[in-house]
Amino acid sequence: EIVLSQSPDFQSVTPKEKVTITCRASQSIDNLLHWYQQKPDQSPELIIKFASRSISGVPSRFSGSGSGTDFTLTINSLEAEDAATYYCLQSSSLPLTFGQGTKLEIK
Amino acid sequence: QAQLVESGGGLVQPGGSLRLSCSASGFSFSLYGMHWVRQAPGKGPEWVAFIRFDGSTKYYLESVKGRFSISRDNSKNTLFLQMNSLRLEDTAFYFCAKDESPRAYSVLDQWGRGTLVTVSS
């Protein structure tokens, strides 16, 4: 089973700040890494797929990078509506696995 | 826009059974693979099962193999999860999710709002 480790677990940030969340895989997964945003009492929403591909309708301040075992989600100029928990997901092999999540709090 | 609506959750005793349904609309259901994902309250998501677009291939999380069964009725645009021998640790919100690929597991690009399954005596 591929283990995904996210950091940090929690971050308190101010609006307009730049945020970086990392996801490290226990073995190489090429670019088969996807990012989701989950707000309270909602289902996860896909915000980046295949490590760096943007999703239609998702604000351009969200971007992703990485390949192999190390991946990064970047949120440029954070907005209040970005308060959520962010998860990475790998689809390289079964079982599909998620990172433990990074909770972003807006100050 | 794809819409997925889960139903069938509820309170069940350990050892009991439930059948979840997921009604799909807004896309060609029969052309895409589908998943079930669960999330215990306050925890992260956990993938449970996948079924190919035609129902010919199914994959399961190890801990649910032999107890859960994923299926689909493409004529009714509906996905199912039959859950037997339920355990306390199966308590979670259960989401159905669409894959962007028909054949292999790939990206879960649309999710329903979930249905809560509570296993308790």
Side-chain angles (χ1 to χ4, degrees):
Chain A
E1 173 175 321
I2 295 175
V3 177
L4 298 180
S5 301
Q6 290 182 231
S7 63
D9 290 334
F10 175 85
Q11 191 167 5
S12 184
V13 293
T14 55
K16 293 187 169 43
E17 197 173 329
K18 178 180 175 179
V19 173
T20 299
I21 298 170
T22 65
C23 179
R24 175 164 289 177
S26 58
Q27 63 189 74
S28 178
I29 56 173
D30 195 11
N31 71 335
L32 302 176
L33 190 284
H34 321 291
W35 290 98
Y36 294 83
Q37 176 193 68
Q38 187 176 29
K39 297 182 180 180
D41 299 321
Q42 295 186 20
S43 55
E45 178 185 346
L46 180 67
I47 56 173
I48 295 289
K49 65 179 181 180
F50 298 109
S52 60
R53 296 188 203 171
S54 59
I55 303 298
S56 175
V58 174
S60 58
R61 62 181 179 274
F62 290 92
S63 64
S65 64
S67 183
T69 60
D70 294 306
F71 302 86
T72 300
L73 173 69
T74 300
I75 311 173
N76 283 301
S77 193
L78 191 80
E79 297 193 6
E81 66 182 25
D82 300 334
T85 301
Y86 294 82
Y87 295 97
C88 53
L89 164 69
Q90 66 81 20
S91 61
S92 174
S93 66
L94 294 175
L96 305 188
T97 49
F98 291 84
Q100 82 276 16
T102 295
K103 185 173 182 178
L104 280 188
E105 174 191 85
I106 311 298
K107 291 177 184 173
Chain B
Q1 179 75 351
Q3 185 172 11
L4 299 167
V5 179
E6 302 90 340
S7 60
L11 175 64
V12 61
Q13 292 188 335
S17 298
L18 275 179
R19 189 193 197 202
L20 306 184
S21 299
C22 170
S23 178
S25 60
F27 68 102
S28 297
F29 178 75
S30 63
L31 298 183
Y32 295 94
M34 295 293 295
H35 300 259
W36 286 100
V37 177
R38 66 186 180 185
Q39 187 171 27
K43 303 293 185 183
E46 179 178 52
W47 172 82
V48 173
F50 168 80
I51 186 168
R52 248 176 64 140
F53 74 105
D54 58 0
S56 63
T57 300
K58 305 172 185 180
Y59 301 114
Y60 297 94
L61 181 68
E62 191 65 33
S63 63
V64 308
K65 278 182 185 175
R67 300 189 299 123
F68 290 11
S69 177
I70 189 172
S71 62
R72 64 192 297 160
D73 184 341
N74 285 345
S75 69
K76 296 182 178 177
N77 292 342
T78 305
L79 176 72
F80 301 101
L81 184 68
Q82 178 66 44
M83 304 188 295
N84 299 328
S85 303
L86 282 161
R87 304 168 180 170
L88 297 176
E89 57 265 33
D90 295 320
T91 294
F93 286 94
Y94 283 73
F95 300 95
C96 66
K98 169 187 167 291
D99 201 293
E100 72 166 24
S101 168
R103 292 176 177 77
Y105 46 89
S106 180
V107 183
L108 284 65
D109 61 359
Q110 298 288 341
W111 296 56
R113 299 191 66 174
T115 186
L116 178 60
V117 172
T118 303
V119 184
S120 175
S121 55

